[in-house]
Amino acid sequence: MEYRKIGNSDLEMSVITFGAWAAGGWMWGSTDRNDAINAIKASYDLGVTSIDTAPIYGQGDSEEIVGDAIKGISRDELQIVTKFGMRWDLAKGDFGFKSKDNDGKDIDIYKYAGRESIIYECEQSLKRLKTDYIDLYQIHWPDKTTPMSETFEAVSRLIDQGKVRYAGVCNFNAEQLKEAGQTLEIISNQIPFSMVNRAVEDKTVPYCIEKNKSVLAYSPMERGLLTGKITKDYKFEAGDHRKGNKFFTAESIEQTNAFLAKIKPLADEKNASLSQLVLRWTIDQPGITIALVGARNAMQSVQNAEAVNVKLTVDEIEFIDFELKNAGF
């Protein structure tokens, strides 16, 4: 495994970090708790020491699964990354969207990062994760109803108390990052980035490079699209958020698969899967520090972890970039 320093901190994370959204089941159709725990353990055995989760993933289920999976592992060998600011149990702040929990019950999701809410959320996360500190604590989405100074003063207090080591953000643009940094040092920004979704390359990634903020890229496999296993007639389970998503229209799937067919010979040449080639390309991109990758079972998590063994030359990266451009991405 390879490890990289996060921002100006002394926190190091594995370049392949276990993304535990799907482990929580919510918006992914379902989850198998034992499979998810085994997936986390299998990736740890290959050096994946960093795990990213959030309270909203399964309304606590994902964090509890992570807590169970890391039992018996020395805490100082792990980097636990979680979030705050999305409430399903409190109607306060900026209304996000309507959803259903894992039991099919209707829930309303709010983006809220008020001081008292953050303190409460942190305590709940610590309990579910069965730990006494969080390595990197991130606001999940900007909350336009709360002054940013109030939000990050609360995180600063948690750092002073030893419950949090470092502060990060998710889904922030360059201007929001700058504003957050006026209250507290922000070491990272978790943002969507994949071969077919590169909008953040315009302003956000260059700002992060300039200010030495690490980029934690989420959905680098574009939620499974870049595995090459999604066909235009693919059937999604009930509750799977990908159904109706713009990347999963029949036209988008065909366009993506045509591109993947062009780079598959390179994957074959390296004795790698398409997924591994995609992940290696991702962590080789300028400004991208970490790739957050989900897995439903141990086999998937092992394959993800082994992506670090793929090595790409400058010419090979240029070839992939050329095919991406030709495909319209």
Side-chain angles (χ1 to χ4, degrees), residues 226-254:
L226 290 168
T227 61
K229 297 175 182 176
I230 306 290
T231 58
K232 65 179 181 179
D233 55 354
Y234 189 90
K235 303 296 182 194
F236 295 103
E237 289 186 50
D240 192 317
H241 73 287
R242 294 175 294 181
K243 187 177 182 180
N245 180 281
K246 67 177 182 178
F247 290 106
F248 291 89
T249 63
E251 183 182 4
S252 174
I253 291 169
E254 284 191 335

Side-chain angles (χ1 to χ4, degrees), residues 4 191 193 200 205 209 215-217 282-291:
R4 291 177 181 168
I191 47 181
F193 177 83
V200 292
V205 171
I209 292 172
V215 172
L216 280 55
T282 302
I283 57 178
D284 283 345
Q285 293 307 293
I288 305 299
T289 315
I290 301 296

Side-chain angles (χ1 to χ4, degrees), residues 24-40:
W26 177 66
M27 294 181 75
W28 285 91
S30 64
T31 188
D32 183 294
R33 193 180 190 91
N34 288 331
D35 281 353
I37 289 171
N38 289 334
I40 293 169

Side-chain angles (χ1 to χ4, degrees), residues 121-138:
E121 283 202 72
C122 184
E123 293 300 331
Q124 297 306 303
S125 289
L126 290 171
K127 287 177 186 175
R128 289 188 288 257
L129 291 162
K130 300 178 181 68
T131 186
D132 53 6
Y133 69 94
I134 294 160
D135 293 281
L136 180 61
Y137 203 36
Q138 312 161 109

